[in-house]
Amino acid sequence: MPTTTSSSSSAASSSGNRQADVFSRLASSDPEVKLKALREVKNQIIGNRTKKQSFLKLGAVPAIASALSECDNSSILVQSAAALGSFACGFEAGVQAVIDAGAFPRLLRLLTSSDEKVVDAGARSLRMIFQSNQAPKYDFLQEKNMEFLFSLLNSENENVSGLGASIIAHACGTTVEQQLLCDAGVLEKLVILLDGSLSQREACLESLATVLKSNPEAVSRFVGLEAGRYLSSVTELTKDRYPRTRLLSCLCLVVIYNTSPSYFLNMGTKSSLVTTLLELLNDPGQSGNEAALGLSSLIAEKEDLQKLAYEANAIKNIVDILKTGSELHPKRLQGLFLSLAELCSKLEDCRCSFLSLEVLDLLVNALRHKNADVRTAACICFKNAARSVKNLSAGRFTTDHVMLPLVQLLHDPSSAVQVAVLGALSNIVLDFSSPKSTFIEYGGIKQLIELSKSMDPNARCSALRALRNLMFLADNKRKELFYSDVKAQGFASLISDPEPTVQEQALALLRNLVDGCINSIEFVFDEDGLILDSVARQLRKAPQAQMAIQGMYVLTNVASGTELHKEAVMQQLFPQPQAESNNFMLKFLQSHESQLRSATVWTVINLISPSSPGALDRHVKLRNEGIIPQLKNMVNDACLDVKIRIRTVLSQSMSFGDN
């Protein structure tokens, strides 16, 4: 009796022989033989990626493409086009093979056939190709392309008009193209398809979402068509019996809502949209995959919609899907984790509900997923879940089980994953009640320092933010561990980074580093005060307000130290010789940013603390430089914090005999 392995091998061999036989018949000069072979290829590959791959290796696509140009037999043209469309359907390698074989222009020529069946087959095949990013782009700035597009949209053949809509969904990617299409009257053409067949409606909804995305003017035009009739039509289609239609209408409404929220003042419409997308999450096909991403886009940064989704039991529904045990499509996993991340971004109830469902194992497994988008989404989910002070303090995120895979992702080849995991770690390391030894043992600090030198400015900025949080209220041992790797020269380079956001985070990190005991302040005096010089140099360059705030707090913390430290700050504030225009303290006190005014006043408070021996001399210097008079003019500052700090300064001044 043969073994199972032998049976499988025999079956595979037999299948391969049949495919080779069919392939050989594609080149037959007998039309009937060729036609039968084309039908067999088409029927074998429909929905079967393995067989598509096998036929690709045999060279079937070029053989089928040649049939489009070598014969005028309508039946052969129809079957050839159908077979090429099947190769392209949901199979990127198939799309590339069809394009490489030169079949694309031949399929376009079929649209001019006098035989309606040939036209239909060509249009269907082209629509399959235009579902792929590899399909040729159309430049709508060229008049001939716009004319061709409108010839498709004006066609009475539903597959041809649907092809026109598919081309728009694929090729329209810029605001200029959106505007050009709107000005040419595309919206008016597309909405006609809403009353057409199922395939026309779905193609129309995809195209509308593309033309309207992030374009308020285009949304306004669409909503204004026939006094909002078509917006109502799209809303009504969210109740359609076909899942795909419901999904596409929801995604179109999500685009409109994200672009122009004013058209969605009705809470019932919002609730219905959330509910429909949650129902679609259970669809086993492509609609379920896309619904997850649609839900995350809808509720992103919107606390009211997050609350609606929470009340609709979204968290439990999503977690139940993740716990099914079946292998989910990467796009679905990405969307589900992003939806959970958004739900946990603002509402503490959502975070607690999410973490109560024992989901950490699910998240940890997702961190190791082979798809980078899934790993990224899982990191973002960790980041937002870790905003829960209650769960953070309980140490739920600092166990080896969680920390090891997070630290490992700092080495991920994808920069998007690195930035996302840095965001997660930034929140987790804020748990200063924990010793963070696990993170340090796994080389976390060293890798953060390495990423602060990344070519990607987002990675540099995120790494510095994580280090900034790690140094918040850190003990001197941890600070010395960090500084021993970064050194004065490295810190000075970060402060002088070409990216303003990186400069800001570097200064914020330094602010936390020198906060606390006297020993911490000594870091800025290493290598002849290189770091302190770099800080002052940036402040003299009239930096952005947020950067200046962090820089002034560095000076505030240094000025809280010894007499030597205070005098060093004075030297940086008023170097000799100094042009009057370089008095940045005056400029900061006159800033519209209250936090910058407050940080600057704090520096003055620390410089003239009466308990310090040189306080009187520094007070005289500050008065002569116009700082004390400026503060007297600010006694009624609009910001309460600034007003209170100024009163402290004036009280100190009185101790020096200044009225």
Side-chain angles (χ1 to χ4, degrees):
M1 189 176 189
T3 64
T4 304
T5 304
S6 299
S7 299
S8 300
S9 300
S10 177
S13 176
S14 175
S15 175
N17 291 336
R18 285 198 303 271
Q19 290 167 6
D21 175 59
V22 174
F23 171 69
S24 66
R25 287 187 277 120
L26 289 174
S28 174
S29 58
D30 185 334
E32 288 301 319
V33 174
K34 185 188 289 283
L35 182 61
K36 186 177 179 182
L38 286 167
R39 283 197 181 107
E40 285 188 48
V41 172
K42 180 194 70 176
N43 292 337
Q44 284 193 44
I45 66 174
I46 290 176
N48 192 320
R49 295 173 67 89
T50 303
K51 289 191 175 181
K52 286 182 185 182
Q53 192 67 53
S54 297
F55 275 111
L56 281 186
K57 290 178 180 177
L58 289 170
V61 170
I64 296 170
S66 66
L68 290 177
S69 57
E70 292 175 357
C71 99
D72 55 4
N73 182 304
S74 293
S75 296
I76 289 179
L77 291 175
V78 168
Q79 292 302 320
S80 297
L84 292 173
S86 294
F87 272 111
C89 183
F91 188 50
E92 292 297 307
V95 175
Q96 193 61 57
V98 170
I99 294 171
D100 290 345
F104 185 78
R106 299 173 193 175
L107 288 169
L108 284 176
R109 283 198 292 273
L110 297 185
L111 301 179
T112 62
S113 172
S114 58
D115 188 324
E116 196 70 14
K117 290 182 179 178
V118 173
V119 174
D120 259 348
R124 283 198 198 97
S125 185
L126 286 166
R127 286 185 68 179
M128 294 299 104
I129 293 171
F130 275 106
Q131 288 177 358
S132 165
N133 289 329
Q134 297 183 60
K137 294 287 185 183
Y138 269 81
D139 182 1
F140 297 122
L141 294 172
Q142 294 185 23
E143 188 175 346
K144 64 177 183 178
N145 286 340
M146 189 68 84
E147 289 174 357
F148 172 67
L149 176 65
F150 272 84
S151 72
L152 298 178
L153 293 173
N154 288 327
S155 174
E156 294 182 2
N157 183 305
E158 67 174 69
N159 284 309
V160 175
S161 58
L163 171 61
S166 296
I167 290 174
I168 293 171
H170 169 75
C172 180
T174 67
T175 304
V176 172
E177 289 171 330
Q178 290 174 325
Q179 198 64 42
L180 198 64
L181 290 168
C182 288
D183 291 343
V186 155
L187 288 177
E188 288 79 358
K189 291 293 181 184
L190 286 176
V191 293
I192 294 172
L193 302 182
L194 283 175
D195 297 323
S197 67
L198 175 64
S199 67
Q200 285 177 316
R201 283 202 306 271
E202 292 184 351
C204 167
L205 289 166
E206 284 189 276
S207 300
L208 282 174
T210 303
V211 175
L212 302 178
K213 187 175 183 179
S214 304
N215 192 323
E217 185 177 341
V219 169
S220 180
R221 284 192 185 191
F222 170 72
V223 173
L225 292 175
E226 295 193 22
R229 175 196 158 191
Y230 295 109
L231 176 60
S232 298
S233 296
V234 173
T235 304
E236 194 61 31
L237 285 173
T238 61
K239 305 168 189 172
D240 195 86
R241 64 192 178 108
Y242 294 103
R244 184 73 185 160
T245 303
R246 293 202 303 277
L247 170 75
L248 293 174
S249 56
C250 282
L251 296 183
C252 191
L253 291 175
V254 169
V255 164
I256 294 172
Y257 182 72
N258 286 346
T259 304
S260 302
S262 59
Y263 294 115
F264 284 83
L265 298 177
N266 188 309
M267 189 58 75
T269 303
K270 298 178 186 179
S271 179
S272 175
L273 191 53
V274 169
T275 302
T276 304
L277 284 169
L278 285 173
E279 290 170 354
L280 285 166
L281 292 180
N282 295 301
D283 184 276
Q286 183 183 357
S287 295
N289 299 339
E290 295 180 30
L293 286 169
L295 178 64
S296 68
S297 175
L298 173 64
I299 64 177
E301 301 297 323
K302 305 180 192 77
E303 189 171 328
D304 60 334
L305 292 187
Q306 290 167 10
K307 190 174 182 181
L308 279 176
Y310 173 62
E311 291 170 350
N313 218 15
I315 292 177
K316 186 177 186 306
N317 289 345
I318 293 173
V319 171
D320 285 346
I321 294 171
L322 290 170
K323 285 183 175 180
T324 55
S326 57
E327 187 173 348
L328 300 176
H329 191 282
K331 182 181 283 188
R332 186 184 297 246
L333 279 173
Q334 178 194 12
L336 292 173
F337 282 121
L338 286 178
S339 295
L340 288 171
E342 292 299 341
L343 285 164
C344 294
S345 64
K346 295 181 180 295
L347 301 173
E348 180 66 10
D349 285 348
C350 287
R351 297 181 198 119
C352 292
S353 174
F354 171 58
L355 292 169
S356 71
L357 296 173
E358 304 299 324
V359 291
L360 286 182
D361 284 347
L362 290 172
L363 278 174
V364 168
N365 290 338
L367 294 177
R368 297 188 173 101
H369 198 278
K370 62 183 179 181
N371 184 282
D373 290 335
V374 175
R375 298 197 299 275
T376 300
C379 289
I380 297 171
C381 200
F382 258 117
K383 170 189 170 183
N384 289 347
R387 289 178 175 175
S388 170
V389 176
K390 174 184 174 182
N391 287 284
L392 194 61
S393 300
R396 300 192 64 171
F397 302 102
T398 52
T399 63
D400 287 9
H401 179 59
V402 172
M403 192 57 69
L404 180 57
L406 285 172
V407 174
Q408 287 173 335
L409 285 184
L410 292 173
H411 301 272
D412 198 277
S414 165
S415 60
V417 174
Q418 286 183 335
V419 170
V421 76
L422 285 167
L425 288 169
S426 290
N427 285 350
I428 292 172
V429 298
L430 271 173
D431 174 23
F432 50 81
S433 63
S434 153
K436 303 186 191 70
S437 58
T438 303
F439 176 76
I440 296 170
E441 282 174 14
Y442 290 144
I445 289 182
K446 288 182 180 294
Q447 188 56 24
L448 289 181
I449 293 171
E450 280 302 307
L451 287 172
S452 72
K453 306 169 190 173
S454 168
M455 295 296 289
D456 181 356
N458 290 327
R460 294 202 302 277
C461 187
S462 299
L464 288 171
R465 186 180 292 110
L467 285 167
R468 163 192 181 176
N469 289 349
L470 190 65
M471 292 300 115
F472 179 65
L473 299 182
D475 58 28
N476 216 47
K477 182 179 178 182
R478 189 183 309 137
K479 289 180 179 180
E480 288 174 355
L481 179 65
F482 159 71
Y483 188 77
S484 65
D485 280 332
V486 74
K487 300 287 194 300
Q489 188 61 55
F491 229 128
S493 297
L494 291 170
I495 293 169
S496 305
D497 191 276
E499 294 292 331
T501 53
V502 176
Q503 295 174 22
E504 179 190 338
Q505 290 304 321
L507 289 168
L509 165 58
L510 181 59
R511 170 188 175 181
N512 285 350
L513 186 69
V514 298
D515 183 33
C517 65
I518 299 295
N519 289 342
S520 298
I521 299 175
E522 289 297 327
F523 291 125
V524 300
F525 293 96
D526 192 17
E527 295 189 29
D528 297 323
L530 179 61
I531 297 176
L532 193 59
D533 288 343
S534 298
V535 174
R537 192 180 306 115
Q538 289 302 108
L539 290 174
R540 291 189 196 103
K541 290 180 180 178
Q544 297 175 2
Q546 291 304 313
M547 195 192 311
I549 290 167
Q550 300 303 333
M552 286 308 299
Y553 273 120
V554 170
L555 297 186
T556 297
N557 288 344
V558 174
S560 69
T562 65
E563 188 70 14
L564 178 66
H565 298 150
K566 296 179 193 296
E567 284 302 318
V569 171
M570 289 294 289
Q571 284 296 318
Q572 297 294 348
L573 292 174
F574 310 108
Q576 298 298 328
Q578 178 197 10
E580 184 178 342
S581 60
N582 283 339
N583 190 338
F584 58 83
M585 279 193 83
L586 271 178
K587 295 175 184 175
F588 293 169
L589 288 173
Q590 295 162 0
S591 169
H592 294 297
E593 181 61 59
S594 62
Q595 285 185 302
L596 180 53
R597 299 197 303 275
S598 182
T600 307
V601 178
W602 261 117
T603 305
V604 175
I605 290 173
N606 287 348
L607 286 171
I608 62 172
S609 173
S611 61
S612 180
L616 176 59
D617 290 340
R618 288 190 289 275
H619 179 271
V620 170
K621 178 67 174 174
L622 289 166
R623 185 178 59 201
N624 293 341
E625 292 291 341
I627 304 302
I628 301 300
Q630 173 63 29
L631 290 173
K632 290 180 178 179
N633 292 333
M634 296 169 60
V635 288
N636 293 316
D637 193 276
C639 174
L640 179 60
D641 183 63
V642 175
K643 188 185 295 186
I644 292 171
R645 305 305 163 205
I646 288 174
R647 287 178 181 176
T648 301
V649 173
L650 297 182
S651 175
Q652 291 173 326
S653 295
M654 290 177 67
S655 68
F656 302 124
D658 188 341
N659 294 322

